[in-house]
Amino acid sequence: MARKFLYIVATLIVLVIAGAVAYRMFGNDLLRRALVPGVAFRAEPTIPSRMYADKAMWFARPGLTNTPVDWLPPGVERTTPGDADIFFIHPTSFVGTDRWNAALDDAETNERARIFLRGQASAFTAAGRVWAPRYRQATFGAFLTSEAAATQALDLAYHDIESAFDRFLGEVDPSRPIILAGHSQGALHLIRLLREKVAGTPLARRIVAAYVVGWPVSKVTDIPALGLPECASADQAGCLLSWQSFADPADPSLIVEQYDASTGFDGRSRAGTPMVCTNPLTGTPDAQAPASANLGTLIPDKALQNATMTPGLVPARCTERGFLSIGDSPPDLGPYVLPGNNWHVYDYSLFWANVRADALRRLAAWEKR
């Protein structure tokens, strides 16, 4: 029997949902007390790139077997992988408050990461070989405070990703195309990776696509600094995709408030600027598509031990501001929808088969260039 892949450990979900509700009812103080570490940030040495030569530093990479990304829904044929190398950065799976960054040997946190990878990174295995590094991710509470420690924690996490990426580049064939992908905290680190390691370099020509999912990207203030344009067509290579899923009636105010108060990469305010919204059903920006265009959504069983892939269930429409609406009657995927009708946890699984097809299509376009 396939291991649990879409199960988000109860502590994580309860904390997320209870925290968001508490925020609306009681404000920042209660939320911070519940989730923000009450200890000082502990500086740790940067992990050198050479340490990522050890296969134990990866959840998935060539040479490892029975990895989380090897899972496929029943009935989906395992095909010969394409020629791409995929660098995938998993989302936050650490919720501890006794430290700001996860330990690499934290068994509970690592199992949560494997769960995310099964339901997300598995969509890319048809396109090539997936590399998914372990990293000392920032705790969930780092996103709920402006304390300097939160920035330090995210910096530490990013530098692990940077070291892993450098090792990745050193090991893959320099002629092979690359797909970059991540979700949530992983997407945040991917954005920085694009700015610091890809934009303006020869490496940009090797990028098939960058899937910056579950994190807002401004069309106006951010895209020019990332080295890749927003994907304008379904068969375009060398471009960036992003979406954030909400059901109707949606209340994305928590995201909008933080987004509008932030500064873009060009130094201008992001306030009022549209976010990149790629419709994963069409592969195009600011589009809408009926449920019949959905090639397959992952539906977990009641025991959360496995999942089936069911087509034609979920439509998608980009809103004016740049959120992805999945309509007012989405399927029951479990109790993990966040306040505001935010389907963040399911950004990939709602459109799993379309993401799989999208990566293959863009890889074919890259190979024809």
Side-chain angles (χ1 to χ4, degrees):
M1 181 180 290
R3 299 180 66 190
K4 297 179 183 179
F5 79 99
L6 199 57
Y7 169 69
I8 309 304
V9 177
T11 54
L12 174 61
I13 296 304
V14 168
L15 285 173
V16 172
I17 295 176
V21 172
Y23 179 88
R24 288 199 171 278
M25 293 179 64
F26 304 111
N28 288 326
D29 289 343
L30 181 58
L31 182 54
R32 288 172 179 164
R33 283 199 295 271
L35 296 174
V36 176
V39 298
F41 173 76
R42 184 173 65 197
E44 300 178 46
T46 297
I47 294 177
S49 180
R50 66 177 181 275
M51 285 190 62
Y52 280 96
D54 184 351
K55 291 183 175 64
M57 292 292 290
W58 300 83
F59 288 110
R61 58 156 290 166
L64 292 178
T65 58
N66 297 319
T67 73
V69 307
D70 293 327
W71 179 87
L72 286 177
V76 175
E77 182 180 358
R78 193 174 301 279
T79 60
T80 301
D83 291 332
D85 282 294
I86 299 99
F87 189 81
F88 190 95
I89 311 170
H90 72 76
T92 306
S93 59
F94 177 52
V95 297
T97 57
D98 60 339
R99 56 190 297 158
W100 284 89
N101 291 88
L104 290 174
D105 61 355
D106 184 329
E108 185 177 348
T109 293
N110 288 338
E111 180 55 27
R112 291 178 190 141
R114 292 186 186 96
I115 290 165
F116 284 124
L117 289 166
R118 289 182 199 118
Q120 297 178 351
S122 59
F124 294 98
T125 54
R129 308 179 304 179
V130 174
W131 301 63
R134 301 174 185 266
Y135 68 104
R136 293 171 295 181
Q137 62 187 275
T139 187
F140 181 80
F143 296 95
L144 303 175
T145 178
S146 59
E147 290 183 36
T151 299
Q152 292 171 305
L154 288 166
D155 281 345
L156 190 153
Y158 170 74
H159 288 304
D160 284 1
I161 294 298
E162 181 183 36
S163 290
F165 188 64
D166 287 344
R167 188 70 198 187
F168 164 80
L169 292 178
E171 292 202 27
V172 300
D173 186 327
S175 66
R176 284 172 67 98
I178 292 171
I179 294 173
L180 302 175
H183 185 246
S184 199
Q185 180 173 170
L188 173 63
H189 295 314
L190 176 53
I191 289 170
R192 186 170 175 184
L193 206 66
L194 288 169
R195 292 181 65 198
E196 297 186 4
K197 310 292 287 190
V198 176
T201 73
L203 179 61
R205 295 194 293 269
R206 292 174 59 190
I207 305 302
V208 172
Y211 294 80
V212 184
V213 180
W215 197 266
V217 179
S218 171
K219 292 172 177 274
V220 177
T221 69
D222 296 343
I223 282 288
L226 300 183
L228 300 174
E230 176 185 6
C231 290
S233 65
D235 59 356
Q236 179 182 356
C239 57
L240 180 148
L241 305 85
S242 181
W243 63 88
Q244 302 170 85
S245 308
F246 281 80
D248 295 329
D251 179 9
S253 58
L254 289 175
I255 295 174
V256 171
E257 289 166 8
Q258 294 182 16
Y259 176 84
D260 282 350
S262 65
T263 300
F265 301 138
D266 65 358
R268 293 184 292 166
S269 170
R270 292 190 177 104
T273 63
M275 303 171 196
V276 173
C277 181
T278 312
N279 188 321
L281 299 185
T282 65
T284 56
D286 307 321
Q288 67 177 37
S292 59
N294 194 318
L295 301 177
T297 296
L298 297 183
I299 309 292
D301 63 17
K302 295 299 183 183
L304 299 172
Q305 294 292 320
N306 205 347
T308 57
M309 191 181 74
T310 305
L313 288 180
V314 181
R317 173 182 59 85
C318 287
T319 67
E320 183 177 354
R321 190 64 194 271
F323 293 103
L324 186 70
S325 169
I326 60 170
D328 59 5
S329 55
D332 181 9
L333 300 188
Y336 309 133
V337 178
L338 304 183
N341 245 343
N342 185 346
W343 284 61
H344 177 79
V345 171
Y346 306 105
D347 280 328
Y348 275 98
S349 55
L350 284 164
F351 313 106
W352 188 91
N354 289 80
V355 172
R356 183 177 172 90
D358 188 274
L360 287 170
R361 189 172 57 246
R362 295 188 194 279
L363 176 59
W366 187 93
E367 291 172 338
K368 292 178 181 177
R369 294 197 308 181

